Amino acid sequence: MEMDLLLAFLMCATLIAAWWFHLLLKWASGHRRRRCELTLPPGSMGLPLLGESLEFFVRIPSLEILPFFKRRMERYGPVFKTNLIGKDMIVSLDPELNSYVLKQDNKAFKIWYPESLKRVLGTVLEVTSSVSLHKHMRSMVLRVFGPENLRLALLRDMQGAARSNLSSWADRPSTELKAAVSSMIFSVTAKLLINYDASTSSAGELWKHYDAFANGLMSFPLNIPGTAFYKCLKGRKNIMEALKHMLDERKEAERQETMDFLDVVVDELNENPVLDEEFSLDVLFGLLFASVHTTSTALTAAVKFLTDNPKALQELVEENEHISKRRNDARSEITWEEYKSMKFTSNASQHIAPMLFRKANQDVHMKGYTIPEGWTVMICPLAAHLNPITYPDPNVFNPWRWKDISEPIGGSKDFLVFGLGLRSCLGADFAKVQIATFLHFFVTNYRWEVVSGGDMVLSPVLAFPNGFHVKLMQKT
């Protein structure tokens, strides 16, 4: 009897397995047939599971377009298909297609993020696909980082931080610039966001967790000890625990005279809970990351480029010294009008924008190809900025190329430093103020010499694998 039941069970299991296998083959056949019916861009899908990921993540010791992109553009053109970490996607190095895709947010396309980003940035990535929630989050952030605060308070705060930090670095035999600038920018931004004083807090090294986060941001999502992604998740866990503790304390505390972003979060949770606590903490995490990593990387790269280009450095020094000499008191603060007049300073410190991702909500036909519904489009802004048709000798550091070009508000197909369309960078103006203010005090008050390091690599994000160590000397 028991044997009969066992045989019956095995027969049923076999039939069910065969049925599922039949459905799988039918789906795969339909999937292949649909691929054949659509005119996909040329390209290769690489190895099973891995796709072409291994080649994509290879570091290169230059700021040119990644060989991964260059080789495929030469072979297939500016639009091609690939597979990265098991995800079918279409890569666009085409300015017109990039512009169309980015302007179609929440229409033909929606925002999408790699799995590694989803795991380290949390729920905020899921919710930002909603237009209404994105606008609500934007209004929250602007209560602290809006134009009025930027002009009246943030410009002053950044000046104080630049002066005090540069003075302390001048006493050292060597300063690793990327780490030092990260710490400085964190101190300013964290004060505005969470009233956090890094110089007195027992958690004064909190900003360093963002280094681990940044290093694993675009890594292969392998969560085992020793990998960059594992360290990235560990850094996120430590930071989120600290932010949760701060939020709990703020809920019980009396209202402060000045408002920071943590106060905005508390008001939101008490009065109009459109966003929950988890999401609000993720927003805090993301704002801190954006200020620490992206701005400090751009600043360090600017100093490296200026070090290697005496002509550009001289013009930068002349512009900023001219501003200082026009003041009655050279030690007085930079005014908003002075900041806005720093045209060459702005041109010498353009950001290197990260990859952008969008997912098709429907079949999209453009450039003679079809982007199938559900497929991801990867956009490489660096390809637009290094386009030889638009910018002669694009791989050469040349701040003068921007001299007669006004930075487009909201970006353009040839200028994607701060994104384009609805998703343009909310902190763009704050980042520009931080960079210009630091460079002003840096070049007017100090000279420097390189001690070691300074190599830059793309992997695909910009990094300084051996640091950038400099010795600062006060000008007499």
Side-chain angles (χ1 to χ4, degrees):
M1 184 67 177
E2 290 181 357
M3 183 62 69
D4 291 341
L5 288 174
L6 179 60
L7 288 173
F9 173 78
L10 290 174
M11 288 179 64
C12 287
T14 302
L15 288 172
I16 291 171
W19 178 64
W20 275 108
F21 185 65
H22 169 73
L23 290 179
L24 181 63
L25 287 176
K26 186 177 179 181
W27 174 85
S29 175
H31 191 60
R32 285 194 300 270
R33 187 163 53 251
R34 172 170 160 73
R35 275 193 182 183
C36 293
E37 291 169 355
L38 299 174
T39 308
L40 292 172
S44 169
M45 309 312 285
L47 300 170
L49 297 179
L50 287 176
E52 299 185 305
S53 307
L54 297 179
E55 184 181 353
F56 177 72
F57 286 110
V58 170
R59 288 186 168 192
I60 62 165
S62 76
L63 298 187
E64 299 180 4
I65 296 175
L66 291 174
F68 176 86
F69 294 133
K70 190 181 295 185
R71 281 194 284 267
R72 284 155 182 78
M73 185 162 60
E74 291 170 354
R75 183 174 181 180
Y76 304 121
V79 182
F80 56 89
K81 66 185 177 184
T82 185
N83 181 289
L84 299 177
I85 320 177
K87 183 72 178 178
D88 290 344
M89 62 177 64
I90 290 171
V91 174
S92 172
L93 309 177
D94 182 90
E96 284 75 24
L97 181 57
N98 293 347
S99 178
Y100 174 78
V101 170
L102 293 175
K103 288 179 179 178
Q104 284 288 312
D105 265 331
N106 297 301
K107 297 175 185 175
F109 292 89
K110 64 181 178 182
I111 199 163
W112 182 87
Y113 299 94
E115 185 61 31
S116 57
L117 274 178
K118 292 178 184 178
R119 294 180 67 179
V120 296
L121 286 177
T123 59
V124 65
L125 298 186
E126 301 298 330
V127 184
T128 49
S129 59
S130 163
V131 175
S132 60
L133 287 175
H134 182 264
K135 287 182 178 178
H136 186 78
M137 182 179 71
R138 190 179 187 90
S139 68
M140 289 174 63
V141 174
L142 286 176
R143 290 174 65 181
V144 177
F145 291 95
E148 194 69 6
N149 272 358
L150 193 64
R151 184 174 63 86
L152 297 177
L154 306 189
L155 178 60
R156 181 192 65 237
D157 292 344
M158 188 58 202
Q159 291 182 66
R163 277 178 162 153
S164 62
N165 279 272
L166 284 167
S167 177
S168 69
W169 303 346
D171 296 330
R172 304 174 187 173
S174 174
T175 297
E176 202 293 284
L177 198 62
K178 173 64 169 60
V181 170
S182 294
S183 179
M184 177 192 68
I185 291 175
F186 181 86
S187 69
V188 175
T189 311
K191 183 72 175 175
L192 297 166
L193 290 175
I194 53 180
N195 196 29
Y196 176 87
D197 189 345
S199 65
T200 59
S201 172
S202 59
E205 297 296 303
L206 182 64
W207 70 269
K208 286 188 176 179
H209 292 303
Y210 280 88
D211 277 345
F213 169 83
N215 290 334
L217 190 63
M218 290 292 292
S219 62
F220 195 91
L222 188 62
N223 187 22
I224 60 174
T227 64
F229 191 64
Y230 175 85
K231 295 174 183 176
C232 179
L233 292 180
K234 186 176 180 181
R236 169 181 164 79
K237 180 176 179 293
N238 292 335
I239 295 165
M240 293 303 291
E241 288 175 353
L243 293 178
K244 176 66 167 66
H245 178 69
M246 293 175 192
L247 179 59
D248 290 341
E249 285 187 336
R250 186 64 62 84
K251 286 178 180 178
E252 304 299 326
E254 293 184 8
R255 191 55 177 265
Q256 305 173 112
E257 241 181 78
T258 56
M259 174 178 285
D260 59 19
F261 191 74
L262 208 53
D263 288 321
V264 175
V265 169
V266 172
D267 287 348
E268 165 67 24
L269 296 175
N270 289 338
E271 299 171 11
N272 185 29
V274 174
L275 311 178
D276 62 21
E277 183 176 296
E278 181 184 6
F279 177 81
S280 299
L281 288 173
D282 281 337
V283 172
L284 266 173
F285 180 89
L287 289 172
L288 283 167
F289 163 70
S291 66
V292 174
H293 179 66
T294 57
T295 307
S296 64
T297 300
L299 245 178
T300 308
V303 174
K304 167 61 178 173
F305 286 135
L306 291 165
T307 303
D308 295 339
N309 191 317
K311 182 182 177 183
L313 176 59
Q314 182 60 33
E315 186 161 339
L316 182 72
V317 171
E318 289 173 358
E319 178 179 81
N320 285 274
E321 285 186 344
H322 179 67
I323 290 172
S324 296
K325 290 173 181 176
R326 285 186 303 177
R327 302 183 191 132
N328 293 328
D329 181 358
R331 295 170 299 176
S332 62
E333 293 184 345
I334 301 171
T335 66
W336 186 253
E337 290 69 27
E338 288 173 344
Y339 157 67
K340 297 298 285 186
S341 72
M342 297 177 183
K343 300 299 183 184
F344 190 80
T345 304
S346 176
N347 294 342
S349 55
Q350 298 293 346
H351 286 59
I352 296 176
M355 308 297 175
L356 302 172
F357 298 90
R358 296 296 185 267
K359 188 174 184 179
N361 288 326
Q362 61 194 47
D363 287 352
V364 177
H365 307 282
M366 194 173 178
K367 296 282 181 178
Y369 302 120
T370 299
I371 301 174
E373 178 181 357
W375 276 50
T376 297
V377 178
M378 175 196 283
I379 293 170
C380 175
L382 193 60
H385 304 155
L386 298 182
N387 187 342
I389 297 174
T390 309
Y391 307 111
D393 296 321
N395 293 320
V396 176
F397 175 63
N398 178 15
W400 298 276
R401 72 161 50 104
W402 311 104
K403 187 174 182 180
D404 299 318
I405 301 176
S406 297
E407 181 181 324
I409 298 174
S412 73
K413 66 183 178 66
D414 297 318
F415 190 87
L416 296 172
V417 171
F418 295 107
L420 178 66
L422 293 174
R423 307 292 175 175
S424 57
C425 178
L426 183 58
D429 289 331
F430 184 44
K432 294 174 193 174
V433 166
Q434 293 181 91
I435 292 173
T437 303
F438 175 84
L439 287 177
H440 174 79
F441 291 108
F442 190 56
V443 302
T444 56
N445 296 299
Y446 298 91
R447 294 178 294 108
W448 68 93
E449 59 184 30
V450 177
V451 176
S452 64
D455 297 329
M456 294 185 284
V457 300
L458 284 173
S459 61
V461 295
L462 179 62
F464 295 81
N466 53 355
F468 185 36
H469 302 262
V470 299
K471 177 176 174 55
L472 266 65
M473 295 156 283
Q474 184 93 36
K475 286 185 176 179
T476 55

